[in-house]
Amino acid sequence: MPFEVGDIVEGTVLNITDFGAFIKLPEGKTGLVHISEVANTYVRDIRDFLKENDKVKVKILSMEPNGKISLSIKKAMPQNAPKQRDFSGQNGRNNNSSFEEKLLKFLKDSDERQQQLRKHLDSKRRNTSYRRSNGY
């Protein structure tokens, strides 16, 4: 079954390089997923996202007359899927809190930090004036 530009197919990761991954497509053809087409985030090391023999869904971006096939993993992902953020590891914050509760907590934390900073600066100012008055 031949495929066309825009099709989403499943392939297998054959080889990983610093610039991308070669994917074996149906019918024995091979295409390249450039490192910029692996994920919706910055990819420093493609090996953090893929390993050899992984099954991946890819979208065919282009097919050159010389046989080169450009692929994208990130464009094969559903576009309507909401981007999820994981707050579980951030100081035990509760995801069930309303916006107002989160805002109040932020303001309280911010006020506490500002008070600590003021105390620290005041103590530094007092120590500096003591040193100056005693000839230090």
Side-chain angles (χ1 to χ4, degrees):
M1 162 183 187
F3 33 83
E4 300 175 359
V5 173
D7 287 351
I8 296 178
V9 296
E10 186 170 299
T12 306
V13 177
L14 287 178
N15 187 22
I16 297 175
T17 66
D18 290 337
F19 58 85
F22 290 95
I23 310 294
K24 182 179 180 184
L25 302 172
E27 299 183 7
K29 299 201 177 209
T30 302
L32 174 70
V33 175
H34 188 267
I35 192 168
S36 65
E37 292 293 331
V38 171
N40 287 322
T41 60
Y42 176 73
V43 178
R44 171 167 285 175
D45 185 357
I46 194 168
R47 289 165 186 84
D48 293 339
F49 292 83
L50 298 173
K51 63 179 188 262
E52 290 183 12
N53 298 319
D54 277 354
K55 298 281 186 198
V56 292
K57 289 205 180 276
V58 293
K59 182 173 185 175
I60 300 172
L61 300 179
S62 69
M63 297 173 64
E64 303 293 324
N66 61 3
K68 290 184 180 181
I69 302 173
S70 295
L71 306 169
S72 173
I73 293 174
K74 71 179 181 182
K75 290 182 180 163
M77 295 178 195
Q79 295 298 321
N80 296 333
K83 293 182 179 171
Q84 297 179 354
R85 296 178 62 189
D86 179 21
F87 292 105
S88 61
Q90 295 186 3
N91 300 327
R93 290 184 184 162
N94 185 357
N95 281 339
N96 297 328
S97 299
S98 70
F99 173 75
E100 288 81 12
E101 290 170 338
K102 290 179 183 178
L103 182 61
L104 288 172
K105 182 176 178 353
F106 170 79
L107 290 173
K108 180 183 171 198
D109 291 346
S110 178
D111 286 341
E112 289 173 1
R113 284 190 211 109
Q114 286 181 354
Q115 287 174 357
Q116 290 174 351
L117 181 61
R118 283 187 196 115
K119 286 179 186 177
H120 179 73
L121 289 174
D122 287 344
S123 69
K124 278 190 154 188
R125 286 183 189 136
R126 277 188 239 123
N127 288 339
T128 304
S129 64
Y130 173 79
R131 280 187 236 143
R132 285 184 190 151
S133 64
N134 289 325
Y136 288 103

